[in-house]
Amino acid sequence: MNTVMEPDGLRTTPPVVPGEPHRPWAAVAALARFEARDLLRYIPVLVTLLVYVGYTLWTLLSEREGMNAFPALQDVDRGTQSAPLLLGIALLVCVNRGALRSRRHGTDRHFDVLVMEPWRRTVAHVLSVLPFAVLTALVVLGEFTWQALRPGAVGHGSVAELAVGPLYVLLCGALGVLIARLVPTVFAAPILVLGLFTAATFISAGTGGAEWSRWLSPVVGENSSKTLPSDLIGRPAAWHALYLIGLVLLLATAAVLAGGGRAWPVKAGLAGALALTATGAVAQSGGVSAELSAARERATLSPEKQQSCTRHGASTYCAFPEWTGRADTWAGVVDRVQSLAAGPAAEQRLLVRQRIDATYGYTSDSTITPATTPHQVTVGTRWGGNRVPEFAAAVASVLVAGDETKGGELCDGRMVTVMWLALGGAADPTADLRDVRLDDSLSGSAIVLTPTHPLSMSAGQTSVVVELLKRPRDEVTATVKKHWAELTAPGVTTAEAARVLGAEVPKEDDECGE
């Protein structure tokens, strides 16, 4: 301590330590690290973080079969956005509570004697969420990379779509700090969460789900099971990412301003963030362009203009650019079905064409109209799981009836032959029969799904097919090939088909009349 003589007496001043410059931002970084570690002490944050990481790992390790084994990356990127939702909400509440710690403990007045200004402490609280956003980004990147390396992966992902999860986490953290500075009570954050969900529901209902209001939400999902080519999706992902970045900066700078930061860089940053948010919000609400609508219509009505075709064996396979590598897989199913057939069907040249209904993007799940072109079979953009027996049923119906339209009208004994061709060569034909039927049953009448309009099985046809699938495959195959002309003749009844195949004649009649 130094003693200085002044006119009004002696004054003691603290010693000056040479070589110790004032570094306020180093102190901010140290406080941010402390607050980030402290957030892990909150049970909601720790639990939701473990659930998020654990659930992601579990889904990746368990998705080895079915449609999940053949991911489309333009769907995978959107799939990473919903899992961080609970983590973001937990961070919002707990960051808010951490920012109010000094107020709860009555230590606010002690901060007046510290070197760090209150607004810098606000900055530290905002930065404390950054490690969680980085961790979210690593999980998102790992999930996408895992899916992209799968042998059956197709398509292209979007960096802007992948950025939504980490940006959402930052957004929740910044909002929690802002609420702490504006409404310094721990009850404000939970009430805000409920209020936001309620407001979002009312806004969506009040605007009729309009495009501009839908994209104001941080995470925008699609209530659709279809997969579209990447260039036909039409989601304003880049503008939405810009909107979220602006919103994060807007809330963060507003929190610093409310925490006492009155310097001109803070005010300029607030104005810039507001402009960024407004730009993204306006740009993302533009809707579908005329060019995109025209491209979707061409892909729906004239897919051959955008597709490339390859030859495998006797058949030709045409697909959109992102799916051309899947022709070998489709050819394997076609070869399997044709190996059970006889007569002209065993040598028939098929045209397998990928078809979609992209007219209204993801907002419509309408069924694809069956093709009237002879010997053309439709295949969709999704593959694996139920899609395999559905495609096999479509191939079999075309081999028996001649085209998809006539195949959809089959209701006589030829359905027994169709279902044997579709399922007889499968690794687990009984399971595939369940999967391809709408009600997942092995008895009674049912709808049989295909990539286009469904087929129909009567109860009698079902009983005959189930019996055939339980018998030795070679035995049934030989009988089908020997009596191919009889089994594929128009008007053949189910009872006649059962007698030819040596199966029990069903008591139920065919349902063609219905």
Side-chain angles (χ1 to χ4, degrees), residues 57-89:
L57 289 175
W58 178 79
T59 53
L60 292 179
L61 295 176
S62 62
E63 292 178 347
R64 298 181 179 180
E65 299 179 352
M67 286 181 286
N68 295 322
F70 298 86
L73 299 183
Q74 57 266 41
D75 294 336
V76 172
D77 55 13
R78 295 198 315 277
T80 63
Q81 297 176 5
S82 58
L85 291 179
L86 288 179
L87 175 61
I89 294 174

Side-chain angles (χ1 to χ4, degrees), residues 129-451:
V129 189
L130 192 58
F132 296 92
V134 172
L135 178 59
T136 303
L138 292 176
V139 174
V140 167
L141 184 61
E143 180 179 0
F144 182 82
T145 303
W146 178 279
Q147 297 283 30
L149 293 178
R150 285 182 180 272
V154 297
H156 302 86
S158 167
V159 175
E161 296 280 16
L162 295 173
V164 169
L167 288 174
Y168 170 78
V169 169
L170 285 176
L171 179 66
C172 289
L175 182 59
V177 178
L178 176 61
I179 297 304
R181 294 297 175 252
L182 296 179
V183 187
T185 172
V186 293
F187 299 106
I191 294 175
L192 174 67
V193 172
L194 295 176
L196 288 176
F197 278 106
T198 304
T201 302
F202 277 106
I203 290 175
S204 178
T207 60
E211 193 75 3
W212 66 267
S213 64
R214 195 168 72 99
W215 283 94
L216 292 179
S217 174
V219 178
V220 183
E222 301 289 351
N223 296 322
S224 175
S225 59
K226 68 169 57 177
T227 295
L228 296 177
S230 301
D231 57 347
L232 300 181
I233 291 179
R235 284 171 57 93
W239 289 117
H240 188 63
L242 181 67
Y243 164 72
L244 290 180
I245 293 172
L247 205 55
V248 169
L249 295 176
L250 179 64
L251 296 179
T253 51
V256 174
L257 189 65
R262 298 291 189 269
W264 69 265
V266 177
K267 298 178 180 178
L270 183 67
L274 182 60
L276 206 63
T277 305
T279 300
V282 173
Q284 72 183 3
S285 62
V288 179
S289 65
E291 293 79 6
L292 180 58
S293 296
R296 286 176 173 178
E297 185 174 357
R298 286 193 301 271
T300 302
L301 302 179
S302 305
E304 66 277 1
K305 296 181 179 180
Q306 302 179 23
Q307 294 179 344
S308 58
C309 301
T310 58
R311 196 73 180 270
H312 290 267
S315 298
T316 302
Y317 300 83
C318 300
F320 291 102
E322 292 171 311
W323 281 269
T324 53
R326 194 164 286 173
D328 289 340
T329 307
W330 299 333
V333 177
V334 172
D335 293 343
R336 187 192 78 197
V337 173
Q338 282 194 292
S339 68
L340 303 179
E347 304 289 336
Q348 180 61 57
R349 294 184 178 183
L350 298 177
L351 171 61
V352 177
R353 184 175 297 283
Q354 194 173 44
R355 297 171 63 211
I356 58 175
D357 183 1
T359 307
Y360 302 103
Y362 285 111
T363 60
S364 173
D365 276 328
S366 57
T367 305
I368 301 173
T369 305
T372 57
T373 305
H375 312 304
Q376 176 175 317
V377 184
T378 297
V379 65
T381 52
R382 305 190 74 189
W383 189 251
N386 297 5
R387 300 293 91 85
V388 177
E390 290 172 12
F391 174 63
V395 173
S397 67
V398 170
L399 289 176
V400 171
D403 63 57
E404 289 184 335
T405 301
K406 295 176 182 178
E409 298 170 354
L410 289 177
C411 59
D412 53 27
R414 288 177 291 175
M415 272 302 298
V416 174
T417 307
V418 168
M419 296 310 296
W420 166 253
L421 295 180
L423 306 173
D428 191 346
T430 303
D432 279 5
L433 178 60
R434 289 182 182 274
D435 292 339
V436 81
R437 286 162 63 98
L438 186 59
D439 61 355
D440 298 329
S441 69
L442 291 177
S443 62
S445 60
I447 296 297
V448 176
L449 300 176
T450 72

